[in-house]
Amino acid sequence: MRKLFLFITVLSCTTAFAQPRTYSTANAHSHNDYQQGTPLISAYTLQFGSVEADVMLSGDELLVAHTERDFDQHRTLEDLYLKPIQGFILANKGHVYADESRKLILMLDIKSEAIPVVNKIIDLLQKYPELIHTPTFKVLISGNKPDPNTYISYPSFLVFDGLLSSKYSKDAISRIAMLSDNFINYSKWKGTGPIPAKDAERLKSMITKAHSLGKEVRLWNVPDFDEAWKQVIELGVDYIDSDSIKALAQFLKKQQQLSQN
């Protein structure tokens, strides 16, 4: 009887593991979100799981900017992202979305010197305790980053974006929430037909390894349309990177409907 119970348990677990994954906008990443017509709001309304903003230090202010030429627009990180997200959390009684199962990552892609910007981010976040203490919200540091060996010295409310192709120490990997990489480093595929088998197998192998470490995966510079998104899903990435956020949301809605039929 015990052997039969164990067999049924193992079979159930194996069957559950083999079920196809259902993707939704929880798996969507709004690349360069600040370039959208309504930064943050558009992606948030679509219930995206991740939004990205480039940040630079200008004097004592942290601005959303790709280069110094953007400073004239004077878009502060606080006004564009931190204050609105705090408002969402307060409105949803401690959750970033009304759907308590939904999470949001704010990826800050640092475009100037890393350490001064990270220190400024820490100072700003300490002004917004809701952002620090909400389990369904995380600030993830990308772009120019401190030495990975120092990640463990930063407050736990910050997590880091690692590189899929890099190796990290045990301490560093404990503070890395996502492993990302540039798709064109692995393939010259432009979105027509399937990804070349050799390229796809290499990527799948690396993604599987990342998942074995408990890390989510994102690729950037993937062709940005529905046929390419299908290929990315087949690779097993966790976040689909896109500038075309409305089209991606529609695509993912169709995918959900197909998986339920």
Side-chain angles (χ1 to χ4, degrees):
M1 180 62 73
R2 186 162 181 253
K3 287 182 179 179
L4 178 61
F5 174 76
L6 288 173
F7 172 77
I8 293 171
T9 302
V10 170
L11 181 62
S12 299
C13 292
T14 304
T15 303
F17 184 80
Q19 293 300 314
R21 179 175 177 181
T22 300
Y23 280 73
S24 70
T25 51
N27 303 100
H29 173 83
S30 180
H31 176 251
N32 289 343
D33 179 79
Y34 59 95
Q35 294 180 345
Q36 296 292 326
T38 50
L40 177 63
I41 304 303
S42 293
Y44 182 82
T45 301
L46 295 168
Q47 294 190 306
F48 268 42
S50 179
V51 297
E52 176 186 347
D54 293 346
V55 291
M56 298 180 70
L57 203 56
S58 174
D60 193 44
E61 283 191 303
L62 199 55
L63 301 182
V64 175
H66 186 76
T67 68
E68 291 184 2
R69 292 193 297 272
D70 298 323
F71 285 1
D72 289 345
Q73 298 179 55
H74 199 258
R75 297 178 294 185
T76 69
L77 178 65
E78 284 190 90
D79 289 341
L80 212 58
Y81 288 94
L82 302 188
K83 289 179 181 177
I85 293 172
Q86 177 184 243
F88 299 148
I89 293 170
L90 291 172
N92 295 320
K93 299 179 181 179
H95 298 277
V96 72
Y97 281 111
D99 179 348
E100 296 179 6
S101 69
R102 290 273 183 163
K103 298 179 181 180
L104 179 65
I105 292 171
L106 174 59
M107 177 182 286
L108 299 180
D109 190 342
I110 298 175
K111 297 299 183 183
S112 51
E113 189 179 349
I115 293 175
V117 174
V118 172
N119 288 338
K120 185 63 178 179
I121 291 169
I122 292 168
D123 288 344
L124 285 179
L125 288 175
Q126 288 173 337
K127 293 169 56 179
Y128 299 90
E130 291 81 9
L131 303 187
I132 292 173
H133 298 298
T134 298
T136 53
F137 174 72
K138 284 291 182 185
V139 174
L140 183 144
I141 305 299
S142 187
N144 295 334
K145 301 182 288 288
D147 184 329
N149 292 318
T150 68
Y151 288 175
I152 199 167
S153 69
Y154 288 97
S156 60
F157 55 76
L158 284 187
V159 291
F160 294 87
D161 186 24
L163 195 63
L164 187 62
S165 57
S166 294
K167 294 182 179 179
Y168 296 95
S169 68
K170 184 178 179 181
D171 282 346
I173 202 72
S174 71
R175 299 300 304 279
I176 291 173
M178 188 184 297
L179 290 170
S180 304
D181 221 328
N182 191 341
F183 178 79
I184 62 176
N185 289 339
Y186 298 88
S187 181
K188 295 180 180 180
W189 181 72
K190 300 297 183 183
T192 303
I195 298 173
K198 186 176 179 180
D199 300 344
E201 286 306 312
R202 183 185 175 203
L203 279 163
K204 283 182 180 179
S205 176
M206 297 187 74
I207 291 168
T208 298
K209 184 177 179 181
H211 288 164
S212 73
L213 295 171
K215 306 304 171 185
E216 296 179 310
V217 175
R218 176 184 69 99
L219 298 174
W220 75 88
N221 274 336
V222 179
D224 199 12
F225 53 90
D226 54 0
E227 288 302 319
W229 298 330
K230 289 178 185 177
Q231 297 283 316
V232 168
I233 286 174
E234 288 182 12
L235 289 175
V237 301
D238 301 281
Y239 288 96
I240 303 172
D241 190 283
S242 180
D243 297 295
S244 306
I245 65 173
K246 289 183 180 179
L248 176 57
Q250 290 172 353
F251 165 80
L252 289 169
K253 184 177 180 180
K254 289 179 183 178
Q255 293 299 301
Q256 277 188 291
Q257 291 170 344
L258 288 172
S259 69
Q260 292 167 0
N261 292 334

